[in-house]
Amino acid sequence: MAEGNEDYPQGSSREGDEPYRADKCLVSSSQAISSSSCTGDGRSTPGGEGEQREQDTASCSLLGNLKQCHKKLGQLTFSRTHTVLINVPIFNASKQLLPEEGRNMWHSSFVKMPFSPASVVTIKTGLKKQPTQVCRWEIIIKNLDSLASKKEIGVEDVEKVIIKCNPQYKDEWMFDALYSFVKCIPKEENYFHTLFPKMAALALSLPLHVKKAIPLLQTGHSAAITLSQVQISCLLANAFFCTFPHRNTSRPNAEYHNYPTINFNRLFGNWSERKKEKLRAIMHYFNVVTDENTKPQGLVTFERRCLRESELPSWRSCEETLSRLHVTSKGSIEANSAGLLQVDFASCLIGGGVLGSGLVQEEILFLMNPELIVSRLFTERLADNECLIVTGSQQFSQYTGFGGSFEWMGPHEDNLERDEWGRLQRHILAIDALHFKHTKEQYSMLKVTRELNKAFCGFKGYGDDEPDIATGKWGCGVYNGDPQLKAVIQLMAAAKARRGLAFFTFDDEELANGLQQIYHLLVKEGITVGKLYRLLEDYCAVQQALGVSHENLLDFIRDNIRCSRSQL
Ligand code: APR
């Protein structure tokens, strides 16, 4: 099981409409990405290098040829493993979003809600300082009410309320980042003093909007939760004011040590430029969801998938050949693959360092789509055979840069269509790669097979109308993975799942070219997933024997295929 800490925790040929022919360029009219992708547009170029390159990449697809999601859902339904927090018959009849009635559950299989009568604190009252148990929600109401009733409030009021709700952290939690943030934003942009009261009111409305107990998506159990964007905003407003009980410590024996944190306290301390940009994205989200005119009216589904032992492929003997592939060094997963299943390079503690100082692919995704942060409230650590799929999250902001150069770049208008369940057509797949302290560690078939199973768990479809997948250098940044090995692993998993792949190398031209060429060779030679697995066995053996091998994986594969072809 991968261990993790808060900031960087651990660690097709689809039978589509047209008959698939790998040797034929699948040409679409419009959506060609830039020149560095596999063009395959059938243009004849003068002889020489251009022609050779054309031949070497002729098997790739254009992005527009990958399959988007067009699932026919029918009416919204719930089941033993799919909890819906809004009233389903009323939604199906009128599309109205009303909270499903239910009783509060103070239980280890459900989220412990801030307003639960079982959430009590002991305070000393009266002249004799008698210890008395008080319902914590009464304290929260009193304090948040004091904020919500004012027109304008300062950070000192916010800090005071958060500490009143969490007195035991008075000397531990810092708010310097929140103070500096509110102080440094130019006046014309500075709407926070009037926003804080609205956020307090939103947090206080939680019992009105969420009446049915929220089940925890626990390790080892496939299950799903569907809730409204309004319900999510109430939950996140409570996370902002740190009202969730029992969620402030991740000591090994703590009740929720196997869950990510949800209260926002770590976002408010340790000022840095990163924190400033993160807070700009978060506050923009709250500005939108507290405004009657812009608050979103859809549903979002969080589905935990757990691959059973019997569903794990016998990789060595897989007969599938590769599915469709589009490779480009330009663009990014989220900007260029609407309608595809977009891979979140996740932490096993979903969301990673989004509430701390982390700021790479997953954290940026969660800041642009803050509704994803609520998955941290109920998603236990992902096991090696598990993934999380989120359908319907809205993108509220846009950004530029990455890591230290990340910058919030203002509002994003999300013009995606909604499905029959009122969910935006954004599909996000969170899969956590292994974190290799030393590069060499990954060249073991135990690790390779773990990554194949993890990717397959996410890529495996459950029907014919599943969208193709948009991915990239999963596990190859903070987690120190070999980009070529991870790319081949994802190609194999997508082939086994019989789904196409759009691979964004994120400005890595060399990887894009190498992938296009090896893909063409593998398709031309009809190389199966099982053959690739056996080649990986050989490569790992060489890596282990030679230490750092003089040959990269793609060259190794090419040489082996050519060598075995010349022996025929
Ligand atoms: N689209 C395509 N590729 C991207 C994008 C994007 N939007 N963002 C980054 N990349 C590329 C970059 O080249 C990056 O180095 O993906 C590489 C890997 O990104 P990381 O976020 O470092 O992913 P990983 O190595 O899997 O680390 C995961 O980091 O964000 C935390 O919570 C996460 O703990 C987890 C760890």
Side-chain angles (χ1 to χ4, degrees):
M1 171 83 80
E3 288 310 310
N5 63 55
E6 193 51 6
D7 279 343
Y8 286 119
Q10 269 294 34
S12 155
S13 48
R14 279 188 70 70
E15 308 313 326
D17 343 330
E18 76 283 334
Y20 176 76
R21 283 180 47 214
D23 57 341
K24 172 176 150 300
C25 308
L26 291 165
V27 183
S28 85
S29 50
S30 58
Q31 294 175 335
I33 282 264
S34 72
S35 59
S36 63
S37 55
C38 311
T39 49
D41 60 6
R43 273 196 310 269
S44 61
T45 47
E49 202 181 298
E51 195 165 305
Q52 181 54 43
R53 172 146 165 63
E54 185 79 12
Q55 282 159 20
D56 281 354
T57 64
S59 303
C60 282
S61 303
L62 286 175
L63 190 54
N65 284 302
L66 293 185
K67 187 173 177 65
Q68 308 216 342
C69 182
H70 298 292
K71 258 187 183 171
K72 287 277 154 279
L73 289 167
Q75 294 220 308
L76 176 62
T77 56
F78 59 88
S79 70
R80 188 179 51 76
T81 56
H82 177 203
T83 302
V84 180
L85 296 183
I86 55 118
N87 182 299
V88 171
I90 292 177
F91 176 79
N92 285 330
S94 66
K95 294 290 181 239
Q96 243 193 313
L97 297 175
L98 297 178
E100 175 61 13
E101 296 296 333
R103 63 195 175 90
N104 182 267
M105 301 286 283
W106 191 260
H107 183 278
S108 58
S109 297
F110 291 85
V111 172
K112 287 184 171 153
M113 298 296 269
F115 55 75
S116 170
S119 176
V120 295
V121 285
T122 303
I123 56 173
K124 293 197 170 64
T125 55
L127 292 175
K128 293 187 184 130
K129 295 286 177 211
Q130 285 296 341
T132 318
Q133 284 218 323
V134 175
C135 173
R136 192 160 168 270
W137 187 243
E138 282 171 24
I139 297 173
I140 294 169
I141 290 177
K142 186 165 147 268
N143 283 286
L144 284 182
D145 242 349
S146 72
L147 297 190
S149 56
K150 295 188 181 108
K151 285 245 1 102
E152 287 204 5
I153 56 174
V155 175
E156 56 286 351
D157 302 308
V158 172
E159 176 186 3
K160 200 163 68 188
V161 162
I162 291 176
I163 293 304
K164 281 273 181 71
C165 300
N166 301 279
Q168 67 274 45
Y169 295 102
K170 185 160 66 65
D171 302 326
E172 189 180 330
W173 288 357
M174 296 155 52
F175 292 82
D176 61 294
L178 194 57
Y179 278 103
S180 305
F181 168 70
V182 171
K183 215 177 286 165
C184 78
I185 298 295
K187 247 192 174 1
E188 62 277 12
E189 273 181 65
N190 207 318
Y191 50 78
F192 310 120
H193 300 288
T194 50
L195 176 57
F196 286 139
K198 289 190 258 180
M199 290 167 63
L202 181 63
L204 281 170
S205 68
L206 183 61
L208 303 177
H209 289 288
V210 180
K211 300 182 173 177
K212 185 177 178 58
I214 305 176
L216 294 171
L217 297 182
Q218 294 173 303
T219 301
H221 300 279
S222 295
I225 300 171
T226 295
L227 67 170
S228 73
Q229 291 179 281
V230 169
Q231 289 173 320
I232 291 174
S233 67
C234 295
L235 292 164
L236 289 179
N238 275 277
F240 182 92
F241 290 103
C242 307
T243 67
F244 285 100
H246 298 203
R247 299 300 295 261
N248 293 323
T249 167
S250 34
R251 282 195 313 274
N253 58 347
E255 184 179 357
Y256 289 94
H257 75 282
N258 224 23
Y259 288 78
T261 56
I262 182 61
N263 289 324
F264 280 25
N265 52 288
R266 291 191 62 234
L267 209 53
F268 303 146
N270 296 319
W271 168 248
S272 65
E273 278 303 305
R274 285 179 173 224
K275 281 289 173 66
K276 180 176 97 175
E277 296 307 317
K278 294 177 90 162
L279 284 165
R280 291 176 83 181
I282 295 287
M283 297 308 282
H284 170 66
Y285 164 75
F286 283 115
N287 200 30
V288 172
V289 299
T290 52
D291 181 333
E292 279 308 314
N293 303 320
T294 54
K295 74 180 188 181
Q297 295 297 345
L299 293 181
V300 183
T301 300
F302 297 81
E303 182 186 2
R304 184 185 196 111
R305 282 189 184 165
C306 177
L307 207 59
R308 293 188 305 275
E309 190 69 27
S310 59
E311 294 176 290
L312 294 177
S314 312
W315 293 104
R316 222 169 179 284
S317 55
C318 287
E319 287 304 308
E320 288 81 1
T321 51
L322 297 190
S323 45
R324 258 192 290 259
L325 170 68
H326 168 82
V327 185
T328 179
S329 61
K330 299 299 172 223
S332 63
I333 293 172
E334 70 279 8
N336 300 93
S337 49
L340 302 186
L341 178 63
Q342 302 175 19
V343 176
D344 160 19
F345 304 159
S347 158
C348 55
L349 293 170
I350 196 83
V354 65
L355 299 182
S357 53
L359 201 44
V360 282
Q361 196 254 9
E362 181 171 50
E363 289 89 358
I364 294 175
L365 183 68
F366 276 52
L367 290 166
M368 297 302 106
N369 303 265
E371 291 162 330
L372 295 172
I373 297 172
V374 83
S375 63
R376 295 168 65 90
L377 177 64
F378 42 71
T379 308
E380 189 169 13
R381 182 192 296 267
L382 294 176
D384 288 346
N385 61 334
E386 297 185 303
C387 69
L388 183 76
I389 292 182
V390 186
T391 305
S393 65
Q394 180 169 329
Q395 182 179 340
F396 289 80
S397 295
Q398 42 201 359
Y399 76 99
T400 181
F402 183 72
S405 64
F406 168 84
E407 244 186 283
W408 180 74
M409 295 298 280
H412 172 83
E413 284 311 313
D414 213 343
N415 51 16
L416 294 182
E417 285 176 24
R418 290 185 185 273
D419 62 19
E420 295 138 285
W421 291 8
R423 303 175 308 181
L424 288 168
Q425 284 301 278
R426 178 171 286 105
H427 311 267
I428 289 169
L429 163 66
I431 46 174
D432 54 302
L434 285 174
H435 187 173
F436 299 113
K437 296 268 180 300
H438 307 290
T439 310
K440 211 164 88 78
E441 285 170 45
Q442 64 197 298
Y443 302 111
S444 106
M445 289 314 286
L446 205 60
K447 304 275 200 264
V448 167
T449 307
R450 185 278 181 187
E451 302 296 64
L452 280 167
N453 289 338
K454 173 64 75 169
F456 179 69
C457 171
F459 292 2
K460 177 178 164 49
Y462 290 83
D464 283 341
D465 44 14
E466 300 275 15
D468 285 339
I469 297 148
T471 188
K473 294 163 85 171
W474 171 56
C476 301
V478 167
Y479 282 1
N480 209 13
D482 171 343
Q484 295 188 8
L485 176 56
K486 272 295 194 302
V488 170
I489 284 172
Q490 294 184 85
L491 267 176
M492 292 166 68
K496 183 65 190 166
R498 303 178 69 73
R499 292 170 79 172
L501 210 53
F503 197 100
F504 295 86
T505 67
F506 215 59
D507 294 336
D508 187 337
E509 291 276 355
E510 192 187 342
L511 179 63
N513 296 336
L515 269 182
Q516 289 161 4
Q517 289 165 27
I518 201 68
Y519 173 78
H520 177 67
L521 177 65
L522 295 172
V523 166
K524 204 156 55 75
E525 299 293 328
I527 302 297
T528 65
V529 168
K531 169 70 181 166
L532 272 173
Y533 187 86
R534 296 190 293 274
L535 279 171
L536 290 184
E537 284 178 324
D538 299 343
Y539 186 68
C540 287
V542 166
Q543 288 291 80
Q544 294 298 342
L546 295 181
V548 182
S549 158
H550 59 289
E551 192 175 32
N552 67 44
L553 175 61
L554 300 188
D555 291 344
F556 180 86
I557 291 173
R558 178 183 303 104
D559 295 347
N560 272 270
I561 291 172
R562 285 189 179 149
C563 167
S564 48
R565 189 174 52 191
S566 60
Q567 285 161 1
L568 292 181

